[in-house]
Amino acid sequence: MLKYDVGIIGSGSAGTTVAYGMRTAGKSVAIFEDYIWGGTCANMGCDPKKIIVNSIDVLRQAQLFQKEVPGQLKIDWPAVMAKKQKYVDAHPVRTLAGLTGDDIATYHAIPRFINADTVVLPDGTQIQANTWVLATGKRPTRPTFTGAQLAETSEDFLNMPTLPADITIVGGGYIAVEFASIAQLAGAQVHLLQHNQHLLRGFEPWLVDKLVPEMTAQGVDFQFDTEVASLKKQADRILVTTTDGRTFLTDKVIAATGRHAAVEGLDLATAGVEFDSQGIKVNGHLQTTNPNIFAAGDVANSGTPNLTPVAGYEARYLVDFLNGQTAAEINYPVISSAVYGHPRIAQVGVSTAEAKIKGYDVTDYDLSSWFNYMRLNDQASARVIKHDGKIVGASLISEQADEIINMFVTAVNSETTADDVTKQIMTYPTMESDLGYFY
Ligand SMILES: Cc1cc2nc3c(=O)[nH]c(=O)nc-3n(C[C@H](O)[C@H](O)[C@H](O)COP(=O)(O)OP(=O)(O)OC[C@H]3O[C@@H](n4cnc5c(N)ncnc54)[C@H](O)[C@@H]3O)c2cc1C
Ligand SMILES: NC(=O)c1ccc[n+]([C@@H]2O[C@H](COP(=O)([O-])OP(=O)(O)OC[C@H]3O[C@@H](n4cnc5c(N)ncnc54)[C@H](O)[C@@H]3O)[C@@H](O)[C@H]2O)c1
């Protein structure tokens, strides 16, 4: 039987961060991956998406500057895909080389627990580790309506060799909205079907109320309270039937109806690890119901959003905890998030609803007339929540919201005051140099 100090299942942001951290601390480490080395973010999530988004940004900028820079640009979808693929193809190779270069044992297989500390691989190899870290992430949840097998996933969308003329996206979360924005601006007609009224649940309603009309004006066909009853192949197209009896033909259906914890095949019950569809049950030390098995990243039901920086943060905490650098429970800073549509929306810290309960100041800003936004033709707005002379929360809609929000992340975390800002000399004219105006 092979033995390691630490066994890590999953090679995404969480798994690789734990692997490098434990190896640096001198432990023997094995990591297991059953699909693509490097995980979701780099291979079929954030990074390939952002490469595509950046090409769409150029087109969007041209649209915003059409008076000053007349003429029409169009997206060459296969060329965008080729650029994206070049990055994606290199990533697993780089990940594997990095792991093996650090003397981390790598196994391309699904390990199955046969007791509390030992797994078996499909070829019969048994591997024991003193500590296990489960970092298997989440995988797309397939809807259950008739013909759901005709619906494709986010991974298929990011690999589309050509752009279909008409795309239907089912769901109203991050993925649905980002992909709707990409495909519509790239030249497709997009229909977004959301089964209730709630788009981007968890985001400030005022942001969503501004985003939907903006995307509608770009041509996205939002259909709320619309549930799919069935999908049926009709020649080269797909016939969509909704539960209220409407039918229409489309070229491609993407299901963006959420993701579930990737725990299939691990036999966690045998290892005494409890989980549900939200993820693996963990305590404040990210410890599962088996004291020698921990979980981090999307698969851990830690009550945090499923985002790459959160996975990395949890992994770094685990490295410190497992190496005795901390005995405290994990303590998260404020967690920012953005939806990479056109425009972007982003938020961090105290929400409007929470501010109202706590009696904090809520100030709205129409940024479109501020010099830095005006020069970019950016119809931006922000809401800033303040308490005791400090910024405790912010939300904004802007072409640059994903970048600007990080300025607020720092201001909230470091409890920056107006006085602190005036002591800094920032480059001008930039969005960040406006920070003082928000106090
Ligand atoms: C389309 C899309 C866009 C996204 N965009 C963003 C974004 O812009 N910003 C952001 O912060 N987050 C984004 N996310 C979320 C982000 O990708 C995840 O939060 C992040 O990847 C979580 O990292 P992880 O290490 O927990 O899991 P993952 O990266 O999912 O890694 C888990 C790994 O475990 C492997 N695995 C699963 N089961 C087993 C098994 N039984 N045996 C062996 N290996 C296994 C998987 O194949 C995978 O490689 C996006 C996600 C998607 C799907
Ligand atoms: N910019 C980012 O940071 C980013 C981008 C993409 C994904 N992500 C991460 O990935 C996760 C998964 O994204 P997602 O968009 O798949 O999930 P999500 O949980 O954000 O949204 C799922 C959506 O599908 C809807 N839905 C569920 N079942 C449905 C059904 N049967 N029919 C129609 N609609 C249905 C839900 O109401 C919800 O609107 C996100 O929660 C986020 O953590 C982050």
Side-chain angles (χ1 to χ4, degrees), residues 217-421:
Q218 291 166 22
V220 175
D221 167 31
F222 285 96
Q223 298 187 25
F224 292 102
D225 291 324
T226 297
E227 201 150 342
V228 176
S230 67
L231 302 180
K232 200 171 164 206
K233 196 102 189 112
Q234 196 158 307
D236 283 349
R237 308 194 76 197
I238 297 169
L239 180 73
V240 181
T241 304
T242 59
T243 52
D244 56 8
R246 286 176 293 134
T247 58
F248 64 93
L249 283 168
T250 191
D251 296 318
K252 189 176 279 293
V253 177
I254 301 290
T257 50
R259 294 165 63 81
H260 62 275
V263 294
E264 307 88 3
L266 293 169
D267 200 353
L268 293 182
T270 294
V273 174
E274 292 176 19
F275 63 92
D276 61 25
S277 65
Q278 294 303 303
I280 293 170
K281 197 171 163 187
V282 289
N283 64 17
H285 296 298
L286 301 179
Q287 191 170 34
T288 71
T289 44
N290 174 331
N292 297 321
I293 302 185
F294 296 77
D298 283 10
V299 80
N301 189 358
S302 55
T304 50
N306 293 154
L307 299 170
T308 297
V310 176
Y313 187 87
E314 292 184 345
R316 290 193 296 277
Y317 164 81
L318 263 190
V319 170
D320 285 350
F321 180 72
L322 294 173
N323 287 314
Q325 302 298 307
T326 180
E329 293 195 343
I330 187 165
N331 181 21
Y332 297 89
V334 288
I335 297 170
S336 60
S337 56
V339 177
Y340 296 93
H342 302 82
R344 320 276 207 259
I345 60 170
Q347 64 183 32
V348 69
V350 172
S351 66
T352 310
E354 201 183 335
K356 284 192 175 141
I357 295 166
K358 293 184 168 163
Y360 292 173
D361 295 343
V362 177
T363 313
D364 288 331
Y365 300 88
D366 173 4
L367 303 175
S368 55
S369 59
W370 290 25
F371 171 69
N372 276 313
Y373 296 83
M374 184 264 286
R375 71 183 163 82
L376 293 172
N377 301 332
D378 187 352
Q379 296 295 313
S381 304
R383 174 169 291 176
V384 176
I385 318 270
K386 286 169 266 190
H387 177 58
D388 256 359
K390 289 168 197 151
I391 292 173
V392 291
S395 46
L396 64 152
I397 179 165
S398 153
E399 299 298 324
Q400 348 280 326
D402 52 330
E403 300 287 349
I404 304 165
I405 199 70
N406 288 324
M407 160 183 102
F408 289 107
V409 173
T410 307
V412 174
N413 275 325
S414 56
E415 303 189 2
T416 308
T417 62
D419 200 33
D420 296 330
V421 178

Side-chain angles (χ1 to χ4, degrees), residues 49 170-175 178 194-195 256-259 306-307 338 340:
K49 173 197 71 190
V170 185
Y174 286 81
I175 294 179
E178 289 179 344
Q194 170 62 338
H195 59 162
T257 50
R259 294 165 63 81
N306 293 154
L307 299 170
Y340 296 93

Side-chain angles (χ1 to χ4, degrees), residues 9-16 32-47 49-50 107 109-111 135-140 154-155 158 174-175 178-179 259 262-266 296-300 305-312 338 340:
I9 309 179
S11 73
S13 308
T16 50
F32 304 76
E33 171 59 58
D34 75 330
Y35 190 33
I36 305 177
W37 287 102
T40 303
C41 185
N43 293 303
M44 64 212 81
C46 343
D47 297 353
K49 173 197 71 190
K50 194 85 191 269
Y107 295 91
I110 300 189
T136 50
K138 284 192 167 147
R139 285 187 167 151
S154 54
E155 186 176 350
L158 294 171
Y174 286 81
I175 294 179
E178 289 179 344
F179 287 7
R259 294 165 63 81
V263 294
E264 307 88 3
L266 293 169
D298 283 10
V299 80
N306 293 154
L307 299 170
T308 297
V310 176
Y340 296 93

Side-chain angles (χ1 to χ4, degrees), residues 61-63 65-72:
Q61 281 291 102
Q63 289 176 350
F65 276 76
Q66 62 190 336
K67 280 199 187 125
E68 301 97 310
V69 190
Q72 278 222 311

